[in-house]
Amino acid sequence: MKFDELDSRMRVFETAHDHCVLPGLYIVARLDGRGFTRLTKEVHQFEAPFDTRFRDLMVETVEHLMNCGIDIIYGYTQSDEISLLFAHNETTFSRKLRKLNSVLAGEASAKFSVLLGSLGCFDCRISQLPNTEEVVNYFRWRNEDAHRNALNAHCYWCLRRDGKNATAATSMMKGLSVADKNELLFQHGINFNQLPNWHKRGVGLYWEEYEKQGFNPIKGEIVPALRRRIKRDFDLPMKDEYSQFIAELVSAEC
Protein backbone atom coordinates (compact mmCIF):
# COMPACT_ATOMS: atom_id res chain seq x y z
CA MET A 1 0.00 0.00 0.00
CA LYS A 2 1.44 3.37 -1.04
CA PHE A 3 2.01 5.99 1.62
CA ASP A 4 -0.61 8.42 0.27
CA GLU A 5 -3.25 5.71 0.32
CA LEU A 6 -2.21 4.56 3.80
CA ASP A 7 -2.16 8.16 5.06
CA SER A 8 -5.67 8.93 3.84
CA ARG A 9 -6.95 5.61 5.16
CA MET A 10 -5.56 6.10 8.67
CA ARG A 11 -6.02 9.87 8.99
CA VAL A 12 -9.79 9.46 9.11
CA PHE A 13 -9.51 7.71 12.48
CA GLU A 14 -7.96 10.88 13.93
CA THR A 15 -10.32 13.38 12.33
CA ALA A 16 -13.70 11.62 11.97
CA HIS A 17 -14.89 13.01 15.30
CA ASP A 18 -13.37 16.48 15.03
CA HIS A 19 -15.74 19.09 16.40
CA CYS A 20 -15.34 22.82 15.83
CA VAL A 21 -16.84 25.76 17.68
CA LEU A 22 -19.31 27.41 15.33
CA PRO A 23 -18.66 30.97 14.14
CA GLY A 24 -20.45 33.57 16.26
CA LEU A 25 -20.13 31.64 19.52
CA TYR A 26 -17.88 32.86 22.30
CA ILE A 27 -15.16 30.50 23.45
CA VAL A 28 -14.10 30.20 27.09
CA ALA A 29 -11.50 27.65 28.12
CA ARG A 30 -11.28 26.46 31.72
CA LEU A 31 -8.17 24.70 32.98
CA ASP A 32 -7.93 22.87 36.30
CA GLY A 33 -4.88 21.55 38.11
CA ARG A 34 -4.77 17.76 38.39
CA GLY A 35 -3.82 16.46 41.83
CA PHE A 36 -2.94 19.95 43.02
CA THR A 37 -4.06 19.32 46.62
CA ARG A 38 -1.26 16.82 47.06
CA LEU A 39 1.16 18.90 44.99
CA THR A 40 0.65 22.09 46.99
CA LYS A 41 0.09 20.66 50.47
CA GLU A 42 2.37 17.62 50.61
CA VAL A 43 5.02 17.86 47.89
CA HIS A 44 5.75 21.59 48.11
CA GLN A 45 3.89 22.56 51.29
CA PHE A 46 2.63 25.98 50.27
CA GLU A 47 1.05 28.00 53.05
CA ALA A 48 -2.63 27.23 53.58
CA PRO A 49 -5.14 28.40 52.66
CA PHE A 50 -3.47 30.99 50.37
CA ASP A 51 0.13 31.53 49.39
CA THR A 52 1.39 34.43 47.26
CA ARG A 53 4.05 32.15 45.78
CA PHE A 54 1.42 29.79 44.38
CA ARG A 55 -0.75 32.72 43.26
CA ASP A 56 2.17 34.15 41.32
CA LEU A 57 2.85 30.79 39.64
CA MET A 58 -0.76 30.72 38.44
CA VAL A 59 -0.68 34.34 37.27
CA GLU A 60 2.55 33.73 35.32
CA THR A 61 0.93 30.69 33.72
CA VAL A 62 -2.12 32.72 32.68
CA GLU A 63 0.08 35.41 31.14
CA HIS A 64 1.96 32.75 29.21
CA LEU A 65 -1.31 31.38 27.82
CA MET A 66 -2.32 34.88 26.72
CA ASN A 67 0.90 35.07 24.72
CA CYS A 68 1.00 31.59 23.19
CA GLY A 69 -0.52 32.40 19.79
CA ILE A 70 -4.24 32.40 20.62
CA ASP A 71 -6.04 35.74 20.81
CA ILE A 72 -7.23 35.81 24.44
CA ILE A 73 -8.74 39.03 25.75
CA TYR A 74 -9.22 38.06 29.40
CA GLY A 75 -7.61 35.57 31.74
CA TYR A 76 -8.88 34.79 35.22
CA THR A 77 -7.42 32.59 37.93
CA GLN A 78 -8.57 31.51 41.36
CA SER A 79 -7.28 28.61 43.41
CA ASP A 80 -5.84 26.05 40.93
CA GLU A 81 -8.06 26.98 37.99
CA ILE A 82 -7.75 29.30 34.99
CA SER A 83 -10.45 30.68 32.70
CA LEU A 84 -9.63 32.25 29.31
CA LEU A 85 -11.96 34.33 27.13
CA PHE A 86 -11.07 34.17 23.45
CA ALA A 87 -11.52 37.08 21.07
CA HIS A 88 -14.93 36.66 19.47
CA ASN A 89 -13.57 35.99 15.98
CA GLU A 90 -10.55 33.91 16.98
CA THR A 91 -9.99 31.13 14.42
CA THR A 92 -6.76 29.44 15.58
CA PHE A 93 -6.77 25.70 14.73
CA SER A 94 -10.03 26.36 12.86
CA ARG A 95 -11.69 26.42 16.31
CA LYS A 96 -11.21 22.65 16.65
CA LEU A 97 -12.00 21.55 20.19
CA ARG A 98 -9.44 18.75 20.39
CA LYS A 99 -6.65 21.10 19.30
CA LEU A 100 -7.62 23.93 21.64
CA ASN A 101 -8.04 21.60 24.62
CA SER A 102 -4.79 19.74 24.07
CA VAL A 103 -2.62 22.75 23.23
CA LEU A 104 -3.85 24.87 26.15
CA ALA A 105 -3.52 22.00 28.63
CA GLY A 106 -0.04 21.27 27.32
CA GLU A 107 1.10 24.91 27.39
CA ALA A 108 -0.23 25.44 30.91
CA SER A 109 1.28 22.21 32.24
CA ALA A 110 4.66 22.94 30.68
CA LYS A 111 4.87 26.55 31.86
CA PHE A 112 3.70 25.79 35.40
CA SER A 113 6.09 22.84 35.70
CA VAL A 114 9.06 24.94 34.59
CA LEU A 115 8.15 27.67 37.07
CA LEU A 116 7.61 25.23 39.94
CA GLY A 117 10.57 23.03 39.19
CA SER A 118 8.51 19.84 39.28
CA LEU A 119 5.60 18.32 37.39
CA GLY A 120 2.23 20.05 37.45
CA CYS A 121 -0.57 18.95 35.13
CA PHE A 122 -3.71 20.74 33.90
CA ASP A 123 -6.78 19.52 32.08
CA CYS A 124 -8.85 21.77 29.82
CA ARG A 125 -12.44 22.02 28.67
CA ILE A 126 -14.18 24.48 26.35
CA SER A 127 -17.47 26.30 26.97
CA GLN A 128 -19.29 27.52 23.87
CA LEU A 129 -21.37 30.53 24.86
CA PRO A 130 -24.06 32.06 22.62
CA ASN A 131 -23.97 35.71 23.69
CA THR A 132 -22.41 38.38 25.91
CA GLU A 133 -24.91 37.70 28.70
CA GLU A 134 -23.68 34.12 29.10
CA VAL A 135 -20.05 35.23 28.97
CA VAL A 136 -20.79 37.60 31.84
CA ASN A 137 -22.65 34.85 33.70
CA TYR A 138 -19.72 32.46 33.25
CA PHE A 139 -17.18 34.80 34.81
CA ARG A 140 -19.64 35.89 37.51
CA TRP A 141 -20.04 32.19 38.35
CA ARG A 142 -16.28 31.68 38.72
CA ASN A 143 -15.95 34.92 40.73
CA GLU A 144 -18.70 33.84 43.14
CA ASP A 145 -17.07 30.42 43.39
CA ALA A 146 -13.80 32.10 44.42
CA HIS A 147 -15.61 33.96 47.20
CA ARG A 148 -17.29 30.79 48.49
CA ASN A 149 -14.07 28.79 48.31
CA ALA A 150 -12.12 31.48 50.16
CA LEU A 151 -14.61 31.57 53.02
CA ASN A 152 -14.65 27.78 53.32
CA ALA A 153 -10.88 27.49 53.07
CA HIS A 154 -10.19 30.05 55.79
CA CYS A 155 -12.71 28.37 58.09
CA TYR A 156 -11.34 24.90 57.42
CA TRP A 157 -7.75 25.90 58.13
CA CYS A 158 -8.72 27.77 61.27
CA LEU A 159 -10.17 24.52 62.57
CA ARG A 160 -7.13 22.54 61.44
CA ARG A 161 -4.83 24.94 63.25
CA ASP A 162 -6.99 24.40 66.34
CA GLY A 163 -5.95 20.77 66.24
CA LYS A 164 -8.94 19.28 64.40
CA ASN A 165 -8.14 16.60 61.84
CA ALA A 166 -9.41 16.80 58.26
CA THR A 167 -12.54 14.71 58.93
CA ALA A 168 -13.51 16.64 62.06
CA ALA A 169 -12.94 20.04 60.44
CA THR A 170 -15.04 19.09 57.42
CA SER A 171 -17.80 17.71 59.64
CA MET A 172 -17.89 20.84 61.82
CA MET A 173 -18.41 23.06 58.78
CA LYS A 174 -21.41 21.13 57.47
CA GLY A 175 -24.63 23.11 57.73
CA LEU A 176 -22.93 26.37 58.71
CA SER A 177 -24.42 29.47 57.11
CA VAL A 178 -22.30 32.26 55.63
CA ALA A 179 -22.94 34.27 58.79
CA ASP A 180 -21.85 31.31 60.95
CA LYS A 181 -18.62 30.98 58.97
CA ASN A 182 -17.87 34.67 59.29
CA GLU A 183 -18.47 34.39 63.04
CA LEU A 184 -16.14 31.39 63.25
CA LEU A 185 -13.38 33.43 61.57
CA PHE A 186 -14.10 36.43 63.78
CA GLN A 187 -13.64 34.24 66.86
CA HIS A 188 -10.19 33.38 65.49
CA GLY A 189 -9.31 37.03 65.00
CA ILE A 190 -10.03 37.13 61.26
CA ASN A 191 -12.32 39.68 59.61
CA PHE A 192 -13.15 38.08 56.27
CA ASN A 193 -13.99 41.42 54.68
CA GLN A 194 -10.50 42.70 55.43
CA LEU A 195 -8.63 39.80 53.83
CA PRO A 196 -6.76 40.54 50.57
CA ASN A 197 -9.21 40.86 47.69
CA TRP A 198 -7.40 38.29 45.56
CA HIS A 199 -8.24 35.65 48.19
CA LYS A 200 -11.95 36.34 47.69
CA ARG A 201 -12.18 37.38 44.04
CA GLY A 202 -9.28 35.81 42.21
CA VAL A 203 -6.98 37.65 39.80
CA GLY A 204 -7.85 39.05 36.37
CA LEU A 205 -5.47 39.69 33.47
CA TYR A 206 -6.37 41.80 30.47
CA TRP A 207 -4.74 43.93 27.80
CA GLU A 208 -4.23 47.64 28.20
CA GLU A 209 -2.67 50.29 25.97
CA TYR A 210 0.11 52.50 27.20
CA GLU A 211 2.22 55.23 25.68
CA LYS A 212 5.90 54.61 25.12
CA GLN A 213 8.50 57.04 23.82
CA GLY A 214 9.93 55.97 20.48
CA PHE A 215 12.44 57.42 18.02
CA ASN A 216 11.61 58.40 14.44
CA PRO A 217 14.90 57.98 12.53
CA ILE A 218 13.58 59.84 9.47
CA LYS A 219 12.60 62.97 11.35
CA GLY A 220 15.26 62.46 14.00
CA GLU A 221 12.85 63.09 16.85
CA ILE A 222 11.28 61.41 19.85
CA VAL A 223 7.65 60.45 19.18
CA PRO A 224 4.98 58.81 21.37
CA ALA A 225 3.87 55.33 20.37
CA LEU A 226 1.00 53.20 21.66
CA ARG A 227 1.85 49.70 22.86
CA ARG A 228 -0.10 46.84 24.45
CA ARG A 229 0.70 45.03 27.67
CA ILE A 230 -1.05 42.71 30.09
CA LYS A 231 -2.42 44.25 33.26
CA ARG A 232 -2.59 42.05 36.35
CA ASP A 233 -5.59 43.05 38.47
CA PHE A 234 -5.44 41.84 42.09
CA ASP A 235 -8.38 44.02 43.15
CA LEU A 236 -11.28 42.91 40.96
CA PRO A 237 -14.76 44.27 41.66
CA MET A 238 -17.51 42.02 43.01
CA LYS A 239 -21.06 41.05 42.10
CA ASP A 240 -22.84 43.49 39.72
CA GLU A 241 -19.73 45.64 39.38
CA TYR A 242 -17.78 42.61 38.22
CA SER A 243 -20.53 41.71 35.74
CA GLN A 244 -20.35 45.23 34.34
CA PHE A 245 -16.57 44.98 34.14
CA ILE A 246 -16.78 41.78 32.05
CA ALA A 247 -19.51 43.22 29.82
CA GLU A 248 -17.34 46.25 29.10
CA LEU A 249 -14.36 44.05 28.25
CA VAL A 250 -16.45 42.10 25.75
CA SER A 251 -18.05 45.18 24.18
CA ALA A 252 -14.67 46.93 23.83
CA GLU A 253 -13.40 43.97 21.82
CA CYS A 254 -16.29 43.95 19.37
Side-chain angles (χ1 to χ4, degrees), residues 11-193:
R11 186 76 63 180
V12 69
F13 291 102
E14 286 188 337
T15 61
H17 296 289
D18 267 351
H19 297 286
C20 300
V21 180
L22 293 174
L25 295 179
Y26 288 94
I27 300 175
V28 174
R30 181 149 71 99
L31 297 97
D32 275 304
R34 180 174 181 267
F36 267 41
T37 298
R38 178 179 178 275
L39 182 69
T40 60
K41 299 300 184 290
E42 298 177 20
V43 178
H44 288 278
Q45 297 181 345
F46 286 102
E47 184 180 348
F50 291 91
D51 191 312
T52 55
R53 295 171 299 165
F54 179 77
R55 177 203 68 186
D56 291 344
L57 292 175
M58 295 297 293
V59 169
E60 287 284 349
T61 301
V62 176
E63 185 157 330
H64 171 74
L65 294 174
M66 295 177 73
N67 281 295
C68 72
I70 299 172
D71 191 359
I72 294 167
I73 64 171
Y74 183 57
Y76 175 76
T77 180
Q78 59 112 343
S79 187
D80 66 344
E81 73 169 52
I82 295 168
S83 292
L84 306 168
L85 173 62
F86 289 31
H88 194 211
N89 296 317
E90 174 59 58
T91 58
T92 299
F93 304 125
S94 301
R95 299 165 72 91
K96 289 181 180 178
L97 290 171
R98 69 179 177 91
K99 292 288 286 186
L100 294 172
N101 281 323
S102 60
V103 166
L104 286 172
E107 290 277 359
S109 300
K111 180 64 175 180
F112 186 88
S113 296
V114 168
L115 291 170
L116 183 63
S118 63
L119 291 178
C121 180
F122 289 85
D123 65 35
C124 182
R125 79 223 55 177
I126 298 290
S127 291
Q128 304 175 52
L129 304 173
N131 50 48
T132 301
E133 179 183 1
E134 296 302 345
V135 172
V136 171
N137 286 338
Y138 173 91
F139 284 99
R140 176 71 175 264
W141 169 46
R142 303 322 304 150
N143 188 254
E144 297 284 351
D145 185 69
H147 189 273
R148 183 194 64 175
N149 288 343
L151 181 59
N152 288 338
H154 276 286
C155 288
Y156 174 83
W157 284 105
C158 275
L159 294 171
R160 291 299 306 276
R161 284 190 287 268
D162 270 353
K164 306 296 188 298
N165 63 28
T167 302
T170 301
S171 178
M172 289 176 68
M173 288 179 58
K174 286 183 179 179
L176 293 183
S177 67
V178 170
D180 292 335
K181 292 173 184 176
N182 274 279
E183 179 59 26
L184 188 156
L185 294 180
F186 190 74
Q187 290 174 2
H188 287 79
I190 298 173
N191 185 331
F192 186 69
N193 292 328

Side-chain angles (χ1 to χ4, degrees), residues 59 74-77 197-198 201-206 230-237 242 245:
V59 169
Y74 183 57
Y76 175 76
T77 180
N197 284 333
W198 65 269
R201 307 175 193 178
V203 181
L205 291 87
Y206 46 92
I230 292 176
K231 176 180 174 62
R232 300 176 174 188
D233 194 338
F234 296 92
D235 192 24
L236 292 170
Y242 185 64
F245 166 76

